[in-house]
Amino acid sequence: MKHISFIMDGNGRWAEQRNLPRLSGHEMGAKALVKALTDLHNLNVECASFYAFSTDNDKRNSQEVSNILGVIAYFLDNDIKALAKELDLQVRIIGDLKRLPEKLVDIICQLNSKCINNKGMKVLLAIGYGGDIEICNAFDILLKKRMLFKDTTPLTPNELFSALYTANVPNPDIVIRYGGYSRLSNFMPLQTAYSELFFLDALWPDYDIEKVKEIINKFYTIKRNFGGTDA
Ligand code: FPP
């Protein structure tokens, strides 16, 4: 399996169903993420990506935003950092860091530098991520480069993809969304054009590797032509 993506939805509902504060749901969600990383490493997955915090999540009340970002900062600086070392994970945060608090950005930079020589599974954590912002960012990069080199040739898909946050990472084969909704919510809109999509009613803190294995097995039975034919 080259690349599997997870949209981790349903943390809040998981907590509310148990009369717990939503913060507990996010903590359990982060624990599920740590478990998934170990499981996917054991399955020899090449790349795993996780949608942790979107640019649209900014619209939540400030206490909820600060709780989620606090959980993310704590787990990045502790469990994820330790696991990256143990499993040699190439952890990369993708998103618009300008939108994130300075303390979290410091933790992200430290983690990036600690993982720079790692060779194991690639892990993309989308934090402060929005697919639309990613595309705008890519256009800004390409426009500046093209102005510098006075390049007026038509833009190619390869060039566009090389300027996305996911440069050098294969597009997701599979996207699994938890939490009962059938949408991608601005997650990798260009990269998921040919991904197989799976929507689960289960809430993310109830992540279970057996279900993921079932989906991976199903994926291998699907014929993928990428718009072509068998011939
Ligand atoms: C969606 O559930 C989940 C989030 C907005 C936060 C996800 C964050 C984590 C799982 C922590 C990740 C940790 C690291 C280290 C990257 P929701 O609150 O929208 O749930 P609801 O739909 O039930 O309200």
Side-chain angles (χ1 to χ4, degrees), residues 207-215:
Y207 153 86
D208 169 19
I209 187 59
E210 293 310 318
K211 186 69 198 168
V212 175
K213 281 188 193 163
E214 220 177 88
I215 290 172

Side-chain angles (χ1 to χ4, degrees), residues 16-174:
E16 281 160 13
Q17 284 169 6
R18 289 161 179 78
N19 288 321
L20 293 168
R22 289 175 62 85
L23 174 59
S24 307
H26 298 310
E27 285 166 349
M28 290 310 287
K31 286 184 184 162
L33 164 60
V34 173
K35 171 132 190 8
L37 289 176
T38 310
D39 292 337
L40 298 166
H41 161 85
N42 290 337
L43 288 178
N44 288 320
V45 166
E46 284 177 39
C47 176
S49 53
F50 297 84
Y51 201 8
F53 189 76
S54 79
T55 47
D56 299 317
N57 290 150
D58 282 353
K59 295 174 196 143
R60 297 182 181 210
N61 74 56
S62 62
Q63 186 59 56
E64 164 97 348
V65 170
S66 124
N67 283 346
I68 296 174
L69 294 180
V71 169
I72 290 178
Y74 177 85
F75 276 81
L76 287 182
D77 205 21
N78 292 280
D79 305 52
I80 306 271
K81 187 159 79 180
L83 199 64
K85 186 163 185 227
E86 184 190 332
L87 304 180
D88 203 27
L89 305 175
Q90 302 185 57
V91 180
R92 194 201 295 179
I93 310 307
I94 58 168
D96 184 4
L97 298 192
K98 293 191 296 297
R99 292 165 178 266
L100 301 176
E102 210 174 308
K103 190 165 166 273
L104 177 56
V105 175
D106 285 348
I107 290 172
I108 289 173
C109 292
Q110 277 177 36
L111 186 62
N112 279 343
S113 70
K114 285 230 171 349
C115 291
I116 207 134
N117 292 318
N118 289 1
K119 298 277 179 290
M121 182 169 76
K122 288 194 171 100
V123 176
L124 303 186
L125 302 176
I127 303 172
Y129 176 90
D132 51 354
I133 302 284
E134 178 184 32
I135 294 168
C136 290
N137 181 61
F139 271 95
D140 280 344
I141 293 171
L142 294 171
L143 200 63
K144 283 184 189 126
K145 199 167 111 195
R146 283 169 154 257
M147 275 164 63
L148 191 66
F149 293 104
K150 298 194 168 39
D151 180 356
T152 56
T153 58
L155 185 66
T156 64
N158 274 349
E159 201 181 349
L160 176 57
F161 273 78
S162 75
L164 296 177
Y165 301 138
T166 50
N168 302 320
V169 171
N171 290 334
D173 298 301
I174 292 176

